[in-house]
Amino acid sequence: MAHEITVPLLPCGSIDDIDEFYTMLSFTRTYYQARPYPCVGLQREDLQLQFFGLPDFKPEDSYGSCVVLVPDTQQLFEAFAAGMRAVHGKLLVSGIPRMTRPRKRKNADNYSGFTVIDPGGNWIRIFASPGTGGTGASEVGKLARALENAVVLGDSKGDILQAAKILDAMLVREQYRAPAAELVEALAYRAELAIRADDTTTAVDALTRARAVPLTAAERSELTAHLAGLDDLEAVIGLAT
């Protein structure tokens, strides 16, 4: 049999908060029930999610998670980001809810992935479908390898402190030797980790250093998404560009 459909059923504290959040991301409500138990269904094109409410639920303690495979992670990220900017005037990059940026995941055969953490603390892990851009092991420099490890810790496991520690150590060692593109990517991610940790001073320092890296026209073209990410992070902390 083929063409089966799986719809995740995830916990939350408030189905109304969930409804509002996913509506911001251009989902449409397909089902809503307050009694005898709260439940809401949401859909965006072929992506369907359902949620059930629990009394005294703590989003920070949630283990709710699912994997979504899509043809183009960057396109979906930009659509979600547009919704966040329209409602909040910025991306939500720290706390709950929040969203990470698309990055290649070493622990997913180098396929691009990003994560939406919704108001219920559920991790909606969005990856590129097999055959749409995975590259397997890549040949990169020391700083890029450290960034790969940091992304696994910070974005896949939520361990922002260890991710920051790895990046800080390698940025000191490689700041004058790493290729410009690797340096900008690493500093951009370091700034994002700092914002998640409510460390504005470190975030400002990393963003300032990233902006100061000299780039050729070709490097700027290659780093378009990462430079846009700097704009988003500067908006979050109110840093003028």
Side-chain angles (χ1 to χ4, degrees), residues 137-152:
S138 57
E139 294 183 7
V140 295
K142 292 180 179 179
L143 182 56
R145 284 197 294 272
L147 176 59
E148 289 179 345
N149 292 331
V151 167
V152 171

Side-chain angles (χ1 to χ4, degrees), residues 79-102:
F80 287 174
M84 288 185 177
R85 295 188 191 103
V87 173
H88 297 281
K90 61 184 180 181
L91 291 192
L92 304 178
V93 299
S94 64
I96 298 174
R98 67 181 184 273
M99 180 171 68
T100 67
R101 300 192 73 86

Side-chain angles (χ1 to χ4, degrees), residues 165-227:
K165 183 177 179 180
I166 288 174
L167 271 188
D168 284 341
M170 195 56 66
L171 280 167
V172 170
R173 292 177 54 185
E174 296 293 315
Q175 60 181 326
Y176 300 115
R177 294 181 292 187
E182 291 186 11
L183 189 57
V184 169
E185 289 184 41
L187 287 168
Y189 189 53
R190 184 62 186 92
E192 185 175 323
L193 291 172
I195 291 174
R196 288 189 217 168
D198 294 323
D199 184 355
T200 303
T201 299
T202 298
V204 170
D205 176 69
L207 290 168
T208 302
R209 291 168 63 189
R211 290 295 191 189
V213 176
L215 299 172
T216 66
E219 287 169 336
R220 286 191 173 278
S221 178
E222 176 189 350
L223 293 169
T224 298
H226 294 284
L227 295 176

